[in-house]
Amino acid sequence: MALVTPLDPNHDKETKELAAFFNETLGFCPNSVLTMQHRPAISKAFINLNKAVMANEGRVTSSLKRMIAWVSSNATGCRYCQAHAIRAAERYGAEQEQLDNIWEYRTHAAFSDAERAALDFSLQASQVPNGVDAEIKERLYNYWNEGEIVEILGVISLFGYLNRWNDSMGTSIETGAVDSADEYLGKHGWKKGKHDGSVY
């Protein structure tokens, strides 16, 4: 059971209407949002931030944004967010070879140099202490403009919040997210961990 019990999806009407966004992204409203609605201002602000961050205004695709989220979540160890990110990458059309080889993004032919630069940025920005340096900056500017870099860092920062929220909360993971994680991440040892509903 999570640290705090998720509330019913009908608890807050405005949150429910905004959360329809996640039916496209994940196929369900995540338990993290259902927990946030204990304070509806937080759940609504979070959903609106999520929608703004995930909007496509440049060349950073929806699938790449979700792979950026996965790298960030993998760096911080949040298994809940790893599963959600890989599921969303799948639903937003990431290539099968990329999904199957996300762990090898640095060397696998399915990833372009531009994608590698974005994913390495995600890895370095998600570490403590932060690893972003002049080399990362130079590589980013080889492939992405400043607006696109803002989009990329928006994803990394959004998932910094989510990683802290879900790992601290021990948010119970949904069946659909488990299915995607088992398929693409299970061969590398992904498990539900504290998100199996029985930790707290």
Side-chain angles (χ1 to χ4, degrees):
M1 179 175 286
L3 183 64
V4 173
T5 306
L7 295 175
D8 186 273
N10 296 307
H11 175 78
D12 180 73
K13 181 181 176 184
E14 290 179 71
T15 297
K16 182 180 179 180
E17 289 172 0
L18 287 168
F21 165 75
F22 295 107
N23 292 330
E24 175 189 327
T25 305
L26 297 168
F28 53 81
C29 181
N31 284 328
S32 54
V33 172
L34 299 179
T35 305
M36 288 177 205
Q37 56 175 1
H38 278 274
R39 293 294 180 265
I42 295 176
S43 60
K44 289 181 278 191
F46 167 74
I47 296 168
N48 281 320
L49 177 62
N50 196 318
K51 290 171 76 171
V53 165
M54 292 303 185
N56 301 109
E57 299 186 32
R59 295 169 297 143
V60 188
T61 65
S62 293
S63 60
L64 178 56
K65 285 186 175 184
R66 274 62 184 198
M67 289 188 285
I68 289 164
W70 179 84
V71 168
S72 181
S73 300
N74 191 50
T76 62
C78 181
R79 294 174 182 264
Y80 182 91
C81 292
Q82 291 168 21
H84 279 224
I86 204 71
R87 178 174 179 81
E90 175 186 28
R91 290 174 66 88
Y92 278 100
E95 296 175 16
Q96 187 69 42
E97 272 201 283
Q98 291 183 323
L99 293 168
D100 289 336
N101 297 285
I102 186 71
W103 289 85
E104 290 83 33
Y105 77 84
R106 285 182 162 165
T107 56
H108 198 279
F111 295 88
S112 69
D113 287 339
E115 289 169 330
R116 287 189 188 101
L119 296 170
D120 275 345
F121 178 42
S122 181
L123 178 63
Q124 295 304 320
S126 302
Q127 296 180 19
V128 178
N130 190 292
V132 176
D133 58 16
E135 180 188 357
I136 291 288
K137 178 180 177 180
E138 181 179 355
R139 288 179 59 210
L140 281 172
Y141 274 82
N142 283 338
Y143 303 103
W144 306 104
N145 65 39
E146 290 188 333
E148 291 162 342
I149 292 169
V150 166
E151 283 190 60
I152 293 167
L153 188 53
V155 175
I156 297 164
S157 300
L158 177 71
F159 273 80
Y161 171 83
L162 283 169
N163 293 161
R164 293 275 188 254
W165 182 277
N166 290 304
D167 249 3
S168 300
M169 191 66 69
T171 308
S172 298
I173 193 164
E174 307 83 2
T175 302
V178 172
D179 293 343
S180 295
D182 283 344
E183 181 174 356
Y184 298 112
L185 309 176
K187 62 187 173 186
H188 298 286
W190 183 90
K191 301 285 183 196
K192 294 179 189 177
K194 66 170 65 177
H195 305 287
D196 67 357
S198 64
V199 173
Y200 294 119

